[in-house]
Amino acid sequence: MRSSCSRDQVGAVLVVNDYWTFVGYNGPASGRPNCDIGGCPRGLLTTEQLPHGARFEGAGLCEAVHAEINAVMKYLRYFRQITPDVMLYTTREPCEKCWDELIELGFMRDQIVWSN
């Protein structure tokens, strides 16, 4: 997986008309330092200090762009809108915030598929 996140590896692929198009990974916004070199305060903690899924309320926030949003933003640079022939496949169910953003961008729930 290409994600630079030291705590979690998530990937997403957009498929249009049965053709693979855009890929996204979780990680920092473009131009920001990668998580694996200290760009994220969470990445500097062990899983004992901060278990996976635990809330982080330390100094600083994770600035990661989630994989599905990363892939969709790449797609939207070339296409104006999400059409019914677009499918999003991701390695994890989108978080609540991503679900809201994806629906707002025009995805229907049946256009989003994830593995568990």
Side-chain angles (χ1 to χ4, degrees):
M1 180 84 50
R2 195 171 149 240
S3 170
S4 71
C5 180
S6 57
R7 300 198 47 82
D8 205 1
Q9 303 284 298
V10 182
V13 169
L14 275 173
V15 175
V16 181
N17 289 325
D18 296 325
Y19 291 98
W20 170 91
T21 57
F22 297 94
V23 176
Y25 303 95
N26 62 319
S30 190
R32 304 292 297 174
N34 281 343
C35 302
D36 57 1
I37 59 168
C40 175
R42 295 177 199 216
L44 302 176
L45 301 175
T46 67
T47 52
E48 288 79 30
Q49 293 170 311
L50 183 70
H52 289 286
R55 292 183 55 85
F56 178 72
E57 307 204 355
L61 297 173
C62 177
E63 297 181 15
V65 176
H66 288 194
E68 50 274 69
I69 300 303
N70 191 339
V72 170
M73 297 319 278
K74 290 176 184 176
Y75 169 85
L76 290 173
R77 289 182 194 151
Y78 298 94
F79 302 98
R80 293 177 165 244
Q81 63 185 359
I82 303 300
T83 56
D85 59 344
V86 175
M87 291 293 295
L88 173 64
Y89 296 90
T90 182
T91 57
R92 172 168 304 155
E93 180 178 8
C95 70
E96 187 175 330
K97 182 179 176 188
C98 286
W99 269 116
D100 292 344
E101 289 184 41
L102 293 168
I103 298 301
E104 182 68 28
L105 287 168
F107 277 94
M108 303 299 286
R109 288 193 180 267
D110 64 348
Q111 288 177 272
I112 303 168
V113 179
W114 64 90
S115 61
N116 288 328

